[in-house]
Amino acid sequence: MKDLLEISAGSAVEVKLQLCEEPAAVVVDASQLEMAVLNLAVNSRDAMPDGGTLTISTCTQERGEREEHLEPGHYVVVRVTDTGQGIPQQLLPKVFDPFFTTKPVGSGTGLGLSQVYGFARQSGGLASIRSQAGQGTTVELLFPAAPADAQPVPEPSQPAEIPAPAQPRRILVVEDDPDVRRVIVECLGLIGYAVTEAPNGTEALAAIATSKPDLLVVDYAMPDMTGAEVISRARALVGDLPVILATGYADMAAVERLAGKPAILRKPFDINSLGLAVANALEMDAERQRVVSA
């Protein structure tokens, strides 16, 4: 995740990894763990507007006595520590509550930390936070260590290579969550695409009417209209348009009524999944055009 963390943290933040050498296997959803750490990294970035250090560390820990929400046993700890502004003590008990946010009005949903906490609990562990105003923040995720007989998920010897675009391609990213949108835009830019962005369907359609992109990457759940509605209206404006619908959940019957069968990118996803999905969608469109021309 180091490259993705550095992108998300920005150039003013130094990212350090301090990973333990002893075995530290856990049984969790890998994509959800990635998104939890990424979410914490984005929060840390926002707490360090003038720059600082973000440290991701791992270790193992033995818990000998039963505690609230935790049974005795062997745990793996993931810590995310920043050197930012910190959180006042009176607010710490509230930070894992849904919709509570320390960010300014109009910035952030207040769901990030509650989702991180929920993921840790669903995985049999716990999340905790330590912070002092002006002295930074540490969020600690505890997960039960994998049992000795747990079978590791086979991993490829190296990640699938993300194809770089053979020619300049313009992609419009439509995502209402500013943090998620920023990561998608910067990842696609690193791969080599020319990327524009819109925070909602209304602004996306205005941009498409002005200049048709080569590909539309659109979130499904947005406040003004769904991604399926954006796809339908975009195609009414400019004709056929290759699209990728990014979603954690969508009513596929409703999607197909409005938008046919777009390529689906399941949330949460990593940079490899995003890059391969975009490359495949553009290649399928190019193949379709070759068939039509023939």
Side-chain angles (χ1 to χ4, degrees):
M1 288 186 63
K2 191 169 190 295
D3 289 345
L4 190 55
L5 287 167
E6 289 177 341
I7 293 168
S8 303
S11 58
V13 175
E14 180 186 8
V15 177
K16 293 183 177 180
L17 299 183
Q18 296 178 352
L19 309 180
C20 62
E21 296 183 1
E22 69 266 26
V26 293
V27 180
V28 298
D29 183 296
S31 295
Q32 288 191 50
L33 177 60
E34 181 175 288
M35 290 305 292
V37 174
L38 185 60
N39 193 308
L40 295 173
V42 168
N43 283 348
S44 292
R45 177 204 68 203
D46 293 344
M48 298 184 287
D50 299 321
T53 302
L54 171 66
T55 303
I56 315 291
S57 63
T58 60
C59 67
T60 60
Q61 191 177 97
E62 195 71 31
R63 296 291 183 111
E65 297 181 3
R66 191 181 189 283
E67 305 169 42
E68 185 180 10
H69 302 310
L70 282 182
E71 297 292 333
H74 194 54
Y75 287 85
V76 174
V77 184
V78 179
R79 291 191 183 97
V80 179
T81 301
D82 64 55
T83 57
Q85 299 166 342
I87 301 171
Q89 292 300 301
Q90 68 271 21
L91 298 182
L92 283 177
K94 303 178 182 179
V95 297
F96 289 126
D97 293 347
F99 304 111
F100 179 82
T101 178
T102 58
K103 296 181 181 180
V105 174
S107 186
T109 62
L111 288 174
L113 282 177
S114 68
Q115 291 175 341
V116 169
Y117 182 85
F119 164 62
R121 293 289 298 119
Q122 290 167 7
S123 303
L126 193 63
S128 62
I129 187 167
R130 300 191 305 274
S131 185
Q132 286 190 322
Q135 298 185 32
T137 300
T138 294
V139 176
E140 193 169 88
L141 306 178
L142 278 80
F143 302 101
D149 59 352
Q151 296 299 310
V153 176
E155 296 182 2
S157 55
Q158 61 183 55
E161 184 176 347
I162 303 174
Q167 55 184 321
R169 294 299 190 98
R170 294 179 301 110
I171 300 175
L172 174 61
V173 173
V174 190
E175 166 65 62
D176 62 311
D177 185 310
D179 293 329
V180 175
R181 186 172 69 249
R182 178 177 179 270
V183 171
I184 295 174
V185 167
E186 293 190 0
C187 287
L188 291 176
L190 281 177
I191 295 171
Y193 296 104
V195 190
T196 54
E197 59 185 281
N200 54 55
T202 302
E203 293 189 30
L205 293 173
I208 291 169
T210 301
S211 178
K212 180 182 177 181
D214 295 307
L215 175 70
L216 178 65
V217 179
V218 57
D219 182 35
Y220 178 75
M222 295 186 294
D224 62 338
M225 64 183 80
T226 68
E229 291 172 318
V230 175
I231 293 168
S232 177
R233 297 184 192 186
R235 285 173 171 167
L237 277 175
V238 297
D240 194 34
L241 175 66
V243 298
I244 294 174
L245 185 66
T247 179
Y249 167 79
D251 181 343
M252 294 313 299
V255 170
E256 290 178 12
R257 282 196 301 272
L258 286 168
K261 293 186 177 182
I264 300 294
L265 181 61
R266 292 290 179 188
K267 289 184 173 182
F269 50 80
D270 57 25
I271 185 173
N272 283 71
S273 301
L274 173 64
L276 291 172
V278 167
N280 290 339
L282 289 170
E283 178 56 35
M284 288 178 64
D285 182 63
E287 180 63 30
R288 182 189 58 79
Q289 293 184 29
R290 285 194 290 268
V291 171
V292 171
S293 299

